[in-house]
């Protein structure tokens, strides 16, 4: 497959996006907190409170007992001229002189109430007392400036000035912080969602069929390991084996269906030894190998399950560390035990098992040995099928050594785990070795509705791992 990628909506998994958001919730919270603190800091650094003292006055004529001019138009015009007086540089100088400063720390403004002779005078400053003093000085000195303009007009106080108690330009910091926090969190959520969508992994069955270079032999559905919160915290996870009465029918049937397809492929080509691997760790290959062996044993097939992942053996854990007097595979490969001493037979499942419980150093050399070749050859002759659990192909080269003992290779692909290009590269390695490639078995797929074809579906519950129901 080439490096070019065609994006399709049916490859989007809502579950994968939701899990990415859940796993990165700390990033979202951190971004929200950073924006909250950032907005607070910016407001603290840039916001300058301004206090405004105000007074209301009416334009009156001298000798008219405070009566307004007969013409409202004239009085309004006079009020506008008084407004210019209060904004004049001459008055500013007189105010500064009275206050004993070179320049007043504030600004005076005057506005006329429309269609009236009322004038609203305001003084704004960063200090509330300073605003009041500026306004008071303006009222005390305006007459010395206005007498050159109006000899028969005066201002009559309607509303006395007072010291302001709160800023006139109050900043709604809480609102800005909330909006900024929501915007920051939303931006991070969109970023995580975009990364999730663009990540080139197998997220849906449709995407798997389109992008994986090989046949898909089955899809293993989700099976919750721990059913209680206490069990999750203490990691009291049961093994996901179809031999257990606690696993769901959906899980068991999906495994049996996959085993039937794999067996049909191998019988058609008269093959016995199946190598199960994956690209990366934790894709569930050991559980898949164990369940395929159990499913075939249920059909009265004579099956030998061999743990040849000598770097990180896991089958003894999958089978809950069985208590047996049988020795481990490493003892046989090191010449410390006979073949019969390492083969364990479980009467309940009718399955032959060969376990290894510890990492074996120099696994590449040991796997490429006559003793292992002899062991697998005996198993091939006496059993219907031999299933080998190996190391991940992306972690070690052990699989390439083991392929010479196998007839076919099956790759386990977990939902949203390994890059599709890496998966296809490993499949090409199998083909280039001239070994049969059985295909892929999808694992850890969560059930969700198909958004493209309208197939009914539903969302399962959240847990340690997720699977998608096979079709």
């Amino acid at each position: 497959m080439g490096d070019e990628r065609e994006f399709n909506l049916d490859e989007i998994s809502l579950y994968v996006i939701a899990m990415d958001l859940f796993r990165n919730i700390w990033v979202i919270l951190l971004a929200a907190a950073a924006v909250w603190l950032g907005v607070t800091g910016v407001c603290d650094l840039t916001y300058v409170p301004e206090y405004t003292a105000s007074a209301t006055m009416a334009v009156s004529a001298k000798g008219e007992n405070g009566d307004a001019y007969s013409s409202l138009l004239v009085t309004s015009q006079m009020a506008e001229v008084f407004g210019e007086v209060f904004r004049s540089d001459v008055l500013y100088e007189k105010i500064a002189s009275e206050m004993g400063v070179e320049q007043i720390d504030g600004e005076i403004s005057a506005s006329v109430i429309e269609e009236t002779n009322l004038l609203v005078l305001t003084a704004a400053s960063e200090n509330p007392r300073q605003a009041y003093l500026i306004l008071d000085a303006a009222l005390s000195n305006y007459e010395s400036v206005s007498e050159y303009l109006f000899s028969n007009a005066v201002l009559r106080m309607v509303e006395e000035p007072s010291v302001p108690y709160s800023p006139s330009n109050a900043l709604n910091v809480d609102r800005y912080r909330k909006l900024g926090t929501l915007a920051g969190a939303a931006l991070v959520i969109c970023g995580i969602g975009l990364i999730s969508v663009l990540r080139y992994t197998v997220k849906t069955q449709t995407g798997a069929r389109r992008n994986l270079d090989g046949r898909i032999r089955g899809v293993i559905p989700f099976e919750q390991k721990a059913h209680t919160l206490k069990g999750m915290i203490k990691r009291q996870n049961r093994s996901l084996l179809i031999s257990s009465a606690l696993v769901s029918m959906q899980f068991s049937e999906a495994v049996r269906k996959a085993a039937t397809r794999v067996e049909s492929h191998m019988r058609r080509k008269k093959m016995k030894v199946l190598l199960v691997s994956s690209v990366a760790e934790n894709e569930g290959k050991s559980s898949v190998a164990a369940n395929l062996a159990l499913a075939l044993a249920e059909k009265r097939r004579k099956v030998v399950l061999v743990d040849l992942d000598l770097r990180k053996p896991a089958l003894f854990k999958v089978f809950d560390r069985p208590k047996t007097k049988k020795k481990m595979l490493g003892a046989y490969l090191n010449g410390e035990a006979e073949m019969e001493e390492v083969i364990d037979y479980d009467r309940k499942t009718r399955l032959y098992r060969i376990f290894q419980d510890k990492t074996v150093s120099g696994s590449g050399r040991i796997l490429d040995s006559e003793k292992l070749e002899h062991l697998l050859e005996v198993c091939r002759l006496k059993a219907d099928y031999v299933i080998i659990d190996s190391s991940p192909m992306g972690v070690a080269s052990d699989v390439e050594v083991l392929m010479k003992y196998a007839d076919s290779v099956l790759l386990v692909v977990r939902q949203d785990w390994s890059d599709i290009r890496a998966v296809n590269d490993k499949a090409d390695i199998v083909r280039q070795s001239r070994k049969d490639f059985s295909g892929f078995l999808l694992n850890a797929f969560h059930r969700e509705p198909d958004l493209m074809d309208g197939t009914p579906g539903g969302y399962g519950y959240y847990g340690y791992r997720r699977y998608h129901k096979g079709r």
Side-chain angles (χ1 to χ4, degrees), residues 3 28 31 64 86 101 138 189 209 222 235 237 375 386 401 427:
D3 291 336
I28 299 173
E64 297 293 333
F86 281 106
V101 295
I189 289 173
R209 287 192 293 268
F222 168 74
R235 299 182 179 272
N237 297 329
L375 172 64
V386 179
V401 177

Side-chain angles (χ1 to χ4, degrees), residues 305-318 321-322 326-334 336 342 353-361 366 389:
L305 177 63
V306 187
D307 191 347
L308 285 178
D309 184 354
L310 301 185
R311 297 176 182 270
K312 195 175 180 179
L315 284 179
F316 75 103
K317 293 181 180 179
V318 172
R321 301 175 183 267
K326 296 293 182 180
K327 294 185 178 181
M328 297 296 166
L329 176 62
Y332 168 75
L333 296 178
N334 289 324
E336 301 170 358
V342 300
R353 307 172 300 190
I354 301 177
F355 293 118
Q356 176 60 30
D357 59 351
K358 297 179 181 179
T359 300
V360 178
S361 59
I366 294 177
D389 178 28

